[in-house]
Amino acid sequence: MIFALANQKGGVGKTTTAINLAATLAQSGERVLLIDLDPQANATTGLGVRVEAEDPAMLEVLLGETGLSEVVVPTPVEGLLLAPSSRNMAGASVMLPDLTRREFRLRDALAGLESSGEQFSYVFVDCPPSLGLLTVNALVASDQVIVPVQAEYYALEGLAQLLDTVDALRRRLNPGLRVAGLVLTMADVRTNLARQVETDIRAHFPGLTFDTVVPRNVRLAEAPSFGLPVSVFDPHCVGSDAYFDLTQEVVGRG
Ligand code: ADP
Ligand code: MG
């Protein structure tokens, strides 16, 4: 099962959600691959992985210069492997448009990985904050998309455009794509605003919003600077509990 974490807004919790869903599943015994498609490489550094400019990473995979299995590296979590990004990925937006099968580069790389005998029960693709060709590659390669939504006043803004993009891609390039759900993140659960935003989102997207709400939790923000998922950094904090619950929901919705 392949999940993209997408929202064209930055800072809504895509990377945090990608790392922590992937880590929680790996800790439960699954073999999991996290693919970092963001030039910011926050999923890469957040798992303590350093990539030098000359090391092949996801850009070189998308360009077809190397296979996905050649860039995959271990992480601090057993069973969780990472296909890292690097600053070079910033060049993707100018290089990818001229390539053949430009929307299918990630899907083709994943097919190559499978035929090389590598098996993962779950793959998570962390997207950059745009609806450009990198996110399109993620959505074309995925079975489902998870949309982190920051619980703030402008939360609804942009969601319609994202869901329209998913619909368009389903019609044109990936008929099997579906929205796993929206997940509210960074919620200040004690404030009226957070409750109001949650009510609005659930009213706008009935049935599409995960029950689990990820609260604002400083341990979630600190964990990446130690190169660890929160479930390793502080397994008993509220952030860790929330991502455990969300993982159950994601798996349960299948
Ligand atoms: P995105 O990938 O959508 O840009 P991130 O996952 O990187 O968003 O989150 C943006 C920032 O907010 C990061 O510094 C991250 O550590 C922090 N953050 C994410 N989720 C939470 C949370 N639930 N509580 C506190 N800080 C969070
Ligand atoms: Mg990110």
PDB file of all heavy atoms in Angstrom, residues 9-16 36 38 40-43 126-129, ligand 2:
ATOM      1  N   LYS A   9       0.134  23.543   0.965  1.00  0.00           N
ATOM      2  CA  LYS A   9       0.596  24.475   1.996  1.00  0.00           C
ATOM      3  C   LYS A   9       1.806  23.883   2.711  1.00  0.00           C
ATOM      4  O   LYS A   9       1.837  22.679   2.978  1.00  0.00           O
ATOM      5  CB  LYS A   9      -0.494  24.668   3.049  1.00  0.00           C
ATOM      6  CG  LYS A   9      -1.546  25.662   2.666  1.00  0.00           C
ATOM      7  CD  LYS A   9      -2.335  26.034   3.899  1.00  0.00           C
ATOM      8  CE  LYS A   9      -3.543  26.851   3.525  1.00  0.00           C
ATOM      9  NZ  LYS A   9      -4.340  27.171   4.707  1.00  0.00           N
ATOM     10  N   GLY A  10       2.738  24.744   3.046  1.00  0.00           N
ATOM     11  CA  GLY A  10       3.876  24.311   3.848  1.00  0.00           C
ATOM     12  C   GLY A  10       3.542  24.384   5.332  1.00  0.00           C
ATOM     13  O   GLY A  10       2.628  25.117   5.733  1.00  0.00           O
ATOM     14  N   GLY A  11       4.245  23.615   6.123  1.00  0.00           N
ATOM     15  CA  GLY A  11       4.118  23.720   7.570  1.00  0.00           C
ATOM     16  C   GLY A  11       2.825  23.204   8.143  1.00  0.00           C
ATOM     17  O   GLY A  11       2.393  23.628   9.215  1.00  0.00           O
ATOM     18  N   VAL A  12       2.173  22.270   7.448  1.00  0.00           N
ATOM     19  CA  VAL A  12       0.891  21.747   7.944  1.00  0.00           C
ATOM     20  C   VAL A  12       1.046  20.380   8.623  1.00  0.00           C
ATOM     21  O   VAL A  12       0.066  19.830   9.132  1.00  0.00           O
ATOM     22  CB  VAL A  12      -0.165  21.637   6.816  1.00  0.00           C
ATOM     23  CG1 VAL A  12      -0.505  23.014   6.262  1.00  0.00           C
ATOM     24  CG2 VAL A  12       0.295  20.703   5.704  1.00  0.00           C
ATOM     25  N   GLY A  13       2.257  19.817   8.593  1.00  0.00           N
ATOM     26  CA  GLY A  13       2.472  18.532   9.266  1.00  0.00           C
ATOM     27  C   GLY A  13       2.638  17.344   8.327  1.00  0.00           C
ATOM     28  O   GLY A  13       2.557  16.192   8.774  1.00  0.00           O
ATOM     29  N   LYS A  14       2.897  17.595   7.048  1.00  0.00           N
ATOM     30  CA  LYS A  14       3.113  16.475   6.113  1.00  0.00           C
ATOM     31  C   LYS A  14       4.285  15.600   6.551  1.00  0.00           C
ATOM     32  O   LYS A  14       4.162  14.379   6.662  1.00  0.00           O
ATOM     33  CB  LYS A  14       3.443  17.000   4.698  1.00  0.00           C
ATOM     34  CG  LYS A  14       2.288  17.645   3.973  1.00  0.00           C
ATOM     35  CD  LYS A  14       2.683  18.068   2.572  1.00  0.00           C
ATOM     36  CE  LYS A  14       3.636  19.247   2.524  1.00  0.00           C
ATOM     37  NZ  LYS A  14       3.093  20.499   3.075  1.00  0.00           N
ATOM     38  N   THR A  15       5.430  16.242   6.755  1.00  0.00           N
ATOM     39  CA  THR A  15       6.646  15.478   7.056  1.00  0.00           C
ATOM     40  C   THR A  15       6.544  14.795   8.414  1.00  0.00           C
ATOM     41  O   THR A  15       6.911  13.622   8.563  1.00  0.00           O
ATOM     42  CB  THR A  15       7.871  16.421   7.008  1.00  0.00           C
ATOM     43  OG1 THR A  15       7.926  16.992   5.698  1.00  0.00           O
ATOM     44  CG2 THR A  15       9.153  15.679   7.307  1.00  0.00           C
ATOM     45  N   THR A  16       6.026  15.514   9.397  1.00  0.00           N
ATOM     46  CA  THR A  16       5.859  14.934  10.731  1.00  0.00           C
ATOM     47  C   THR A  16       4.948  13.713  10.663  1.00  0.00           C
ATOM     48  O   THR A  16       5.222  12.674  11.278  1.00  0.00           O
ATOM     49  CB  THR A  16       5.267  16.012  11.666  1.00  0.00           C
ATOM     50  OG1 THR A  16       6.118  17.154  11.628  1.00  0.00           O
ATOM     51  CG2 THR A  16       5.140  15.509  13.091  1.00  0.00           C
ATOM     52  N   ASP A  36      11.357  10.531   0.381  1.00  0.00           N
ATOM     53  CA  ASP A  36      11.380  11.981   0.561  1.00  0.00           C
ATOM     54  C   ASP A  36      11.459  12.655  -0.808  1.00  0.00           C
ATOM     55  O   ASP A  36      12.468  12.546  -1.498  1.00  0.00           O
ATOM     56  CB  ASP A  36      12.588  12.361   1.427  1.00  0.00           C
ATOM     57  CG  ASP A  36      12.554  13.820   1.863  1.00  0.00           C
ATOM     58  OD1 ASP A  36      11.700  14.576   1.366  1.00  0.00           O
ATOM     59  OD2 ASP A  36      13.393  14.191   2.707  1.00  0.00           O
ATOM     60  N   ASP A  38      10.783  16.021  -1.143  1.00  0.00           N
ATOM     61  CA  ASP A  38      10.835  17.463  -0.926  1.00  0.00           C
ATOM     62  C   ASP A  38      12.281  17.958  -0.973  1.00  0.00           C
ATOM     63  O   ASP A  38      13.127  17.429  -0.253  1.00  0.00           O
ATOM     64  CB  ASP A  38      10.212  17.783   0.444  1.00  0.00           C
ATOM     65  CG  ASP A  38      10.068  19.281   0.683  1.00  0.00           C
ATOM     66  OD1 ASP A  38      10.564  20.078  -0.142  1.00  0.00           O
ATOM     67  OD2 ASP A  38       9.463  19.646   1.705  1.00  0.00           O
ATOM     68  N   GLN A  40      13.465  20.335   0.433  1.00  0.00           N
ATOM     69  CA  GLN A  40      13.861  20.725   1.796  1.00  0.00           C
ATOM     70  C   GLN A  40      14.434  19.560   2.578  1.00  0.00           C
ATOM     71  O   GLN A  40      15.113  19.755   3.589  1.00  0.00           O
ATOM     72  CB  GLN A  40      12.638  21.257   2.560  1.00  0.00           C
ATOM     73  CG  GLN A  40      11.930  22.387   1.876  1.00  0.00           C
ATOM     74  CD  GLN A  40      12.279  23.732   2.471  1.00  0.00           C
ATOM     75  OE1 GLN A  40      12.866  23.815   3.536  1.00  0.00           O
ATOM     76  NE2 GLN A  40      11.928  24.784   1.764  1.00  0.00           N
ATOM     77  N   ALA A  41      14.121  18.332   2.139  1.00  0.00           N
ATOM     78  CA  ALA A  41      14.684  17.113   2.735  1.00  0.00           C
ATOM     79  C   ALA A  41      14.459  17.005   4.239  1.00  0.00           C
ATOM     80  O   ALA A  41      15.297  16.476   4.966  1.00  0.00           O
ATOM     81  CB  ALA A  41      16.173  16.987   2.399  1.00  0.00           C
ATOM     82  N   ASN A  42      13.308  17.476   4.712  1.00  0.00           N
ATOM     83  CA  ASN A  42      13.062  17.416   6.157  1.00  0.00           C
ATOM     84  C   ASN A  42      12.823  15.993   6.664  1.00  0.00           C
ATOM     85  O   ASN A  42      13.156  15.682   7.805  1.00  0.00           O
ATOM     86  CB  ASN A  42      11.847  18.281   6.529  1.00  0.00           C
ATOM     87  CG  ASN A  42      12.125  19.759   6.343  1.00  0.00           C
ATOM     88  OD1 ASN A  42      13.280  20.189   6.373  1.00  0.00           O
ATOM     89  ND2 ASN A  42      11.087  20.542   6.123  1.00  0.00           N
ATOM     90  N   ALA A  43      12.247  15.137   5.833  1.00  0.00           N
ATOM     91  CA  ALA A  43      12.053  13.742   6.262  1.00  0.00           C
ATOM     92  C   ALA A  43      13.400  13.038   6.370  1.00  0.00           C
ATOM     93  O   ALA A  43      13.595  12.162   7.218  1.00  0.00           O
ATOM     94  CB  ALA A  43      11.130  13.004   5.279  1.00  0.00           C
ATOM     95  N   ASP A 126       6.590  11.566   1.063  1.00  0.00           N
ATOM     96  CA  ASP A 126       6.464  12.913   1.622  1.00  0.00           C
ATOM     97  C   ASP A 126       6.642  13.940   0.505  1.00  0.00           C
ATOM     98  O   ASP A 126       7.675  13.982  -0.151  1.00  0.00           O
ATOM     99  CB  ASP A 126       7.528  13.115   2.717  1.00  0.00           C
ATOM    100  CG  ASP A 126       7.329  14.420   3.463  1.00  0.00           C
ATOM    101  OD1 ASP A 126       6.177  14.907   3.538  1.00  0.00           O
ATOM    102  OD2 ASP A 126       8.331  14.963   3.986  1.00  0.00           O
ATOM    103  N   CYS A 127       5.611  14.758   0.288  1.00  0.00           N
ATOM    104  CA  CYS A 127       5.599  15.694  -0.849  1.00  0.00           C
ATOM    105  C   CYS A 127       6.077  17.090  -0.447  1.00  0.00           C
ATOM    106  O   CYS A 127       5.944  17.497   0.702  1.00  0.00           O
ATOM    107  CB  CYS A 127       4.169  15.841  -1.380  1.00  0.00           C
ATOM    108  SG  CYS A 127       3.527  14.346  -2.139  1.00  0.00           S
ATOM    109  N   PRO A 128       6.575  17.838  -1.434  1.00  0.00           N
ATOM    110  CA  PRO A 128       6.896  19.248  -1.192  1.00  0.00           C
ATOM    111  C   PRO A 128       5.609  20.067  -1.102  1.00  0.00           C
ATOM    112  O   PRO A 128       4.540  19.596  -1.480  1.00  0.00           O
ATOM    113  CB  PRO A 128       7.710  19.639  -2.425  1.00  0.00           C
ATOM    114  CG  PRO A 128       7.272  18.705  -3.486  1.00  0.00           C
ATOM    115  CD  PRO A 128       6.862  17.430  -2.817  1.00  0.00           C
ATOM    116  N   PRO A 129       5.709  21.314  -0.619  1.00  0.00           N
ATOM    117  CA  PRO A 129       4.523  22.161  -0.493  1.00  0.00           C
ATOM    118  C   PRO A 129       4.136  22.830  -1.809  1.00  0.00           C
ATOM    119  O   PRO A 129       4.188  24.049  -1.936  1.00  0.00           O
ATOM    120  CB  PRO A 129       4.951  23.193   0.554  1.00  0.00           C
ATOM    121  CG  PRO A 129       6.428  23.277   0.409  1.00  0.00           C
ATOM    122  CD  PRO A 129       6.899  21.925  -0.005  1.00  0.00           C
TER     123      PRO A 129
HETATM  124 MG    MG B   2       7.626  18.759   4.799  1.00  0.00          MG
END
